[in-house]
Each structure stands twice: as C-alpha cells, then as structure tokens.
Amino acid sequence: MASPVFQSCAHHPDRRGFALCMSCRKVVCQECATTWDGVNHCRTCLESRGAAVLSRKRVRTWVGCAIFCVAAFAMTARGLAWSAAMLARLW
Amino acid sequence: MTEDGALGLIDDAADAVGRLPEWVGLLWLTALPARLLLAFFCIRLIQLGSDAVHSGDWARRIAWLLLVAWLASLWGRQVFVRACRHAFQSERPASRALLRVPAREMAGHLAAALAIEALFWALLLTFVAPPFLLLAAGLAAPAAPAGGPGPLDSLREVWRGVGPAFRLIRLLILFGIAVPIAALNLHFFAHGVLWLAGGIASLDVTGWDGVLALANPAYAVLLFTGACLLLEPVWLAALTAHVERVRARGTGDDLRRWFAELRVGA
C-alpha cells in the first residue's frame, strides 16, 4: 500500500494525505486526523465512536434510574408502613 | 422579581398563583387522591392506636396504594412548576405544551423525590429531619429535573438549588405558621356552612356539631390535609422562585437583568 503522503484525503480530495485512519482504513488529511491513544482516527469514525459511548452511557443511566426508582419505591412503602405504625403506637 | 427575602418569594409566588388558576386546579386534582389516602391512613392509624403494629399487612397495602397515588401527584407538581416558571418569565398565559413534561425531567424529579420520600419515612421518628426533608421534597420539583434521569445528578441539582439556606428556613417557618391559620380558616368556613344550612335551609344539623369539632381526630386530620392542599400551590411557586433566583445568580443572569434595567433607566 502506498504511503498516505502520496494519496489525497478521503474527505478533502484537494488536500494531501497525512495519516491512515485505523478504523476505516481511509487516508485523511492533517485536519481530519486525530491521534487518540497513539492511534490515528478520522473525524467520522471518532464521532461514531463517541456517539456509541454516549448512547451506552445513556442506556446505563436510564437502567440505573429504573432500578433505583423500583428499589426506593419498595423501601418507601415499607418505611411508610413501619414508621406510621410506630408513630401510632407512640400516640 | 421583587425583594430578595422569604417575603419576596411569597410575593412572587402569590402573583404567579393568581395568574395560573387552571394550573392550580390541575395541581389540586392530581394531589387530591394521595392527600385523601394519607388522611385516611392517618385516621385509621389513630383509631388503631397501639394495635397498629399488628396490622402490618393492611398498612403495607395502603402504603403501596398511597405511593402509587403520590406518583401521579408528582406529574401534577412538575407541570405546575413549569407553569410557574413560565409565569415568572412572561406575562402571556401558559400554553398546553407545558403538560408534556420531557421524560428526562420527569425521571430526574421522580428519582430525587423517591430518595427524599424514602429518607422522610425512615427518619420520621427523629422529628428533626422531617421538616428539612419536606423542604427538600418541595425543592425537588423545580430543581431535580435539570439533573436528568441519574439519581445522583438529580439529587446534586436539589442540593445546588438550596442556595441561601436562611431564606429557605424563614420560608419553612412562615409556612409552618400558615398551615394552622389556614386550617382554622377552613374550620370556621365549615362551621359557617353548617350555620347557614341550619339557619337558612332549616336542615337538622345537630349531629354535625360533634363531627365538625376539633376534638374529633378524623376531622382534625382532614382540616390539616385541606390546609396543606390550600397552601401547596404557593409553597411550590415560592420554591420555584427561589431556585430560579439561585440559578440566575449562578449564571450571572441577575446581573444581566440588572444592567438591562439600568440601561433602560438611563
């Protein structure tokens, strides 16, 4: 495979290639390339990775919220019944 | 917005509530089932007295029902807070779009309110924590939705909404005084209706004197419930005004508004 320097950017055909995206294997220019953990990525791949991480985080937050609400609901019901009965006993 | 103290909050709240009669109606409608169930629960517990500890199954069933009704009231609270926020920012009447509460905001409010409610019932017998948890439960409606569905984030937003604590404590004391006054007003109103029914409509109301007496625990509980329901819109609107002021100070909106007023005045 020819060096990226001798090819043009996949997103900007008028620009010279600078790096090879390790996800999609496309040659990208200096502006489109981002080095992350020592590995080159193009902007599109980085955005789709970010979106996937965000959506996983969102799902985790919603699942956590649902579990918390169910647990808190059950605890509140028990606490309400117990405290009210104890209060009535004090009364 | 008017002056910065607790009375200023009540002024703003009374002004907003006066402009939102239909939203107050919605708040009452959604809060009524939970309030009545709580009143019924309290009356029954008073009747059972020390035997209440042996009625665990019954108490748990009512507690579950009560919490389900309370969940519906949370939606009403959230809609009312949105209407109040609209009233603070604009003179125009609030649109029906406020009824559609985003799921993110509702989940944030639900998570924070459930956490506070669980703490409230767990710490009820300490007699010190419940007033502050009541305050936190009120603050959850205007503050927690900004935190999204994460329970920790929504609770953090409630904490951020506290702002100047002394203003909130003064507000709590003012409402603590207002509840018995509202209950007394309701009591006199009930007796006024009874007197009118006996005097003008010539109905036999002799049996009602015993029922509508403060010594009757069931009547006292209902009066207290009615007073809380009456004051709830003003309480929520005052807390919404408080949170809005704390946020405006945090973002610099208060200074921006002040400069705008100065520029208009110059």
Side-chain angles (χ1 to χ4, degrees):
Chain A
M1 192 175 174
S3 163
V5 183
F6 300 113
Q7 296 177 41
S8 54
C9 171
H11 305 294
H12 305 99
D14 55 323
R15 290 186 196 167
R16 233 164 150 198
F18 171 74
L20 191 68
C21 172
M22 284 295 123
S23 304
C24 63
R25 304 273 160 183
K26 279 180 187 165
V27 175
V28 285
C29 64
Q30 200 162 4
E31 196 189 305
C32 294
T34 305
T35 309
W36 187 36
D37 267 355
V39 178
N40 287 322
H41 296 277
C42 72
R43 189 186 289 172
T44 324
C45 289
L46 215 54
E47 273 173 6
S48 60
R49 260 180 193 232
V53 168
L54 262 180
S55 99
R56 268 202 300 275
K57 196 180 168 195
R58 206 172 295 143
V59 168
R60 266 204 304 271
T61 311
W62 277 100
V63 170
C65 175
I67 292 170
F68 174 81
C69 285
V70 170
F73 192 85
M75 268 172 59
T76 309
R78 280 188 169 266
L80 198 163
W82 181 82
S83 308
M86 294 307 278
L87 201 66
R89 198 179 180 186
L90 285 178
W91 193 286
Chain B
M1 299 236 169
T2 52
E3 64 164 287
D4 214 30
L7 287 175
L9 290 182
I10 293 179
D11 279 344
D12 283 348
D15 177 54
V17 168
R19 285 191 282 137
L20 301 165
E22 63 273 44
W23 302 95
V24 172
L26 181 80
L27 177 71
W28 279 340
L29 213 66
T30 51
L32 202 61
R35 297 279 180 199
L36 285 179
L37 265 171
L38 185 62
F40 168 71
F41 188 55
C42 291
I43 293 166
R44 192 79 187 103
L45 282 174
I46 292 169
Q47 285 169 349
L48 285 169
S50 57
D51 289 337
V53 282
H54 304 300
S55 312
D57 283 345
W58 169 83
R60 262 196 297 276
R61 268 201 299 273
I62 295 284
W64 279 99
L65 254 179
L66 180 58
L67 281 179
V68 170
W70 173 78
L71 286 183
S73 79
L74 284 187
W75 173 76
R77 277 184 160 218
Q78 199 50 53
V79 170
F80 182 72
V81 162
R82 282 156 65 84
C84 282
R85 208 170 277 146
H86 174 86
F88 291 140
Q89 289 163 358
S90 163
E91 293 287 321
R92 282 182 301 156
S95 73
R96 281 189 184 179
L98 293 177
L99 290 170
R100 285 192 295 272
V101 182
R104 241 181 90 79
E105 293 185 10
M106 198 60 230
H109 180 199
L110 177 68
L114 269 170
I116 294 164
E117 194 75 4
L119 269 179
F120 177 86
W121 291 109
L123 301 174
L124 181 69
L125 295 176
T126 62
F127 299 107
V128 180
F132 296 103
L133 288 167
L134 275 180
L135 198 60
L139 276 177
L152 284 177
D153 292 335
S154 49
L155 282 171
R156 202 175 294 131
E157 283 299 323
V158 175
W159 177 248
R160 270 192 206 139
V162 171
F166 278 111
R167 185 164 71 190
L168 278 182
I169 290 170
R170 267 183 238 126
L171 194 71
L172 188 67
I173 293 169
L174 281 172
F175 275 90
I177 296 167
V179 169
I181 295 173
L184 265 181
N185 275 303
L186 278 177
H187 175 62
F188 291 132
F189 176 74
H191 274 267
V193 171
L194 199 65
W195 177 75
L196 281 175
I200 297 171
S202 306
L203 294 171
D204 182 24
V205 291
T206 44
W208 283 92
D209 278 332
V211 176
L212 300 184
L214 289 174
N216 177 9
Y219 176 63
V221 168
L222 282 175
L223 268 187
F224 181 75
T225 305
C228 289
L229 206 61
L230 266 182
L231 293 173
E232 190 169 348
V234 186
W235 168 248
L236 273 182
L239 289 173
T240 307
H242 173 81
V243 171
E244 288 299 298
R245 281 178 196 197
V246 171
R247 281 190 184 153
R249 186 163 288 181
T251 56
D253 267 357
D254 56 338
L255 287 178
R256 232 168 276 141
R257 220 171 286 154
W258 183 53
F259 283 136
E261 280 169 20
L262 284 179
R263 237 178 258 137
V264 170

